[in-house]
Amino acid sequence: MTIRFAVVALLFALASLPVRAEWRDRTEAIMGTRIYVEVWSDDAAKGDEANEAVMAEMRRIDDLMSHYKPESQLSQINARAAQEPVQVDPELFDLIKLSTHYSVITEGAFDITYASVGHLYDYPHHVKPTEEQIKAALPGVNWRNMLLDPVHHTVRFERPGMRIDLGGIGKGYAVDRGIAILQARGFKHALVTAGGDSRIIGDRMGRPWVVGIRNPDDKNKVVTRIPIVNSAMSTSGDYERYFDEGGVRYHHIIDPRTGHSASKVRSATILGPTATETDGMSKTAFVLGPEKALEIINRMPQYDAIFVTPEGKILYSNGLAPPPPPKEAAAPRKH
Ligand code: ADP
Ligand code: MG
C-alpha cells in the first residue's frame, strides 16, 4: 500500500466515524437561585455558546421582573400602580395576565397579589407579620383588584398597599425561554433548571431522565424517583426559604386567604408540558393540599402531581399512581 493510499483510506475512515457528541453544562446563580443548563451537542463550542445564551436570557428576565431590583419594571408597578396605570413591556404584561389565569382555575390559591402580605415576611432574618399587620394587609390580596389594560399594556391597582411578585411563576417562565433558545438552535436533548423548576427536551442516551423528589427534611435523600422525557416539572417545598419558631414553620408559600404559610403538605410537585404551567400549578397544589388539588389535577390530563404529606406519605395523581397490588386469586397456588 502506498503511503498516499494509506492516508486517503485513513481520511475516509475518519470521515465515516460518528461525530463525537457530548453533554455540555453550565451552572450560575441568577434570580436568587441555581440555574443549570445541560445540552447534548456535537460541537463543544456551539454547546457552550448556547448555554451562555440561556444564562443571558435568565439575566434579562431577572432585570425585567425581579421584585428585589428597584429599577425593574415589576418594581415600578409596585411603586406606582396604586396611584396611576403603569405601562410595561408586552412580555411582562402577558406573564401578569397569564398569572390571573392560574388564579381563576385555582379559585385564588395562586395569586401574585399575595405579595401585599407576603412582603411582610423576611425569612433569612426570622421576621413575620403580627396578626394585626396581616389583617391590615389582606384586603390588598385579590387579583381581581389588578386592572390590566391589554391595549396600552398597563397595570393599575385598585387598592392602596397592593403589591405583586412573580416569584411563583417567573422561574418556570425563564426555564421555558431557555428551552426555546436551545430548540431554536437545533438542540434535541437538553435540561434547563432554575431552582425548583426544570424542563427537559428529548431523552438521555435513549433512556428517560430520572429526577428525584427530595426528602423535605434531608436534601441528600430522595423519597421517590420519576422517569421523565419531554416534560417540565416544578416542586414547591416548605424547606426552601423558611424559619422555625415556637414549633411553627414560617415559609415562602403563602395561602392568599389567610396570609399565613400553607401547611397541608411538605412538598408538591407538578409534571406537565411547560415549566410556566408547572411552576404556577405547584404553588396551587401546595396551598390547596392533596385532596382539593388532586380533584383539579385529575381532571386535567396534561398534569400529574406528587405530594409529600406532613406524615411523610407520598401521594400520586391518577396518571402516576402505582398499579394496585395483585389480587389474592392471582397468588401462586400451593400444590
Ligand atoms: P422557587 O422560588 O424555588 O421556584 P416555588 O416555585 O415554590 O419556589 O415558588 C415560591 C414563590 O412563589 C415564593 O417565594 C413567592 O414569590 C411566590 N408565592 C408564594 N405564595 C404564592 C401564592 N399563593 N401565589 C402566587 N405566588 C406565590
Ligand atoms: Mg418555582
Side-chain angles (χ1 to χ4, degrees):
M1 193 161 41
T2 64
I3 297 234
R4 195 158 151 208
F5 179 73
V7 168
V8 171
L10 183 67
L11 283 178
F12 266 108
L14 283 177
S16 63
L17 276 178
V19 183
R20 240 193 83 238
E22 59 184 319
W23 292 100
R24 305 295 298 176
D25 66 55
R26 188 177 172 112
T27 309
E28 269 189 49
I30 310 171
M31 305 186 189
T33 197
R34 175 178 171 269
I35 311 285
Y36 180 73
V37 195
E38 199 179 346
V39 68
W40 179 248
S41 179
D42 50 23
D43 178 328
K46 276 196 185 138
D48 292 347
E49 229 175 79
N51 288 347
E52 172 47 36
V54 171
M55 294 300 178
E57 178 69 352
M58 300 278 176
R59 285 188 285 269
R60 184 189 70 78
I61 292 171
D62 193 35
D63 288 345
L64 179 67
M65 301 185 183
S66 169
H67 57 281
Y68 294 111
K69 298 189 170 179
E71 66 285 1
S72 75
Q73 289 196 8
L74 190 117
S75 293
Q76 295 307 306
I77 296 175
N78 283 338
R80 296 193 282 114
Q83 287 92 49
E84 60 186 348
V86 177
Q87 191 171 43
V88 295
D89 285 0
E91 182 184 15
L92 175 57
F93 183 88
D94 288 348
L95 192 60
I96 292 172
K97 177 93 189 114
L98 181 66
S99 78
T100 65
H101 161 74
Y102 291 103
S103 302
V104 174
I105 62 174
T106 65
E107 293 159 20
F110 183 87
D111 187 339
I112 60 171
T113 69
Y114 97 92
S116 310
V117 58
H119 83 278
L120 299 170
Y121 291 85
D122 179 352
Y123 305 99
H125 297 104
H126 295 207
V127 174
K128 63 177 192 316
T130 62
E131 284 310 310
E132 289 73 47
Q133 285 174 311
I134 291 180
K135 221 173 129 198
L138 267 184
V141 182
N142 189 342
W143 58 277
R144 290 187 187 83
N145 294 334
M146 187 169 56
L147 300 183
L148 303 177
D149 176 346
V151 176
H152 302 100
H153 300 128
T154 60
V155 182
R156 170 94 163 95
F157 295 152
E158 283 197 302
R159 296 187 67 99
M162 277 182 78
R163 281 176 193 240
I164 55 173
D165 94 48
L166 291 172
I169 198 165
K171 291 183 202 94
Y173 173 74
V175 164
D176 284 338
R177 288 289 314 137
I179 288 288
I181 284 175
L182 298 177
Q183 283 175 323
R185 292 173 181 232
F187 294 100
K188 301 274 188 296
H189 304 268
L191 160 74
V192 179
T193 292
D197 304 294
S198 298
R199 184 161 160 200
I200 282 163
I201 48 170
D203 55 19
R204 200 177 163 85
M205 326 291 286
R207 294 180 180 190
W209 296 70
V210 178
V211 288
I213 310 266
R214 68 161 265 194
N215 179 325
D217 293 319
D218 185 345
K219 68 172 180 322
N220 298 313
K221 288 194 183 143
V222 297
V223 292
T224 186
R225 290 177 210 276
I226 311 285
I228 63 175
V229 175
N230 274 327
S231 177
M233 171 171 162
S234 295
T235 298
S236 289
D238 71 2
Y239 44 77
E240 291 292 348
R241 293 168 71 77
Y242 74 94
F243 62 95
D244 291 321
E245 202 178 285
V248 177
R249 175 153 296 194
Y250 298 91
H251 67 86
H252 71 157
I253 299 154
I254 304 292
D255 186 334
R257 296 162 297 194
T258 65
H260 292 278
S261 301
S263 57
K264 287 203 166 86
V265 290
R266 301 295 312 281
S267 79
T269 298
I270 301 288
L271 300 170
T274 70
T276 311
E277 291 167 85
T278 57
D279 202 9
M281 296 297 286
S282 72
K283 255 72 42 191
T284 303
F286 195 108
V287 170
L288 293 178
E291 211 177 303
K292 181 93 184 119
L294 283 174
E295 208 184 288
I296 297 176
I297 285 154
N298 283 332
R299 265 190 273 128
M300 303 172 107
Q302 69 272 41
Y303 301 122
D304 269 305
I306 304 141
F307 296 92
V308 181
T309 70
E311 300 76 37
K313 258 180 82 180
I314 305 167
L315 304 174
Y316 299 91
S317 60
N318 289 347
L320 291 173
K327 295 222 171 74
E328 290 274 309
R333 272 199 240 136
K334 283 200 188 122
H335 291 287

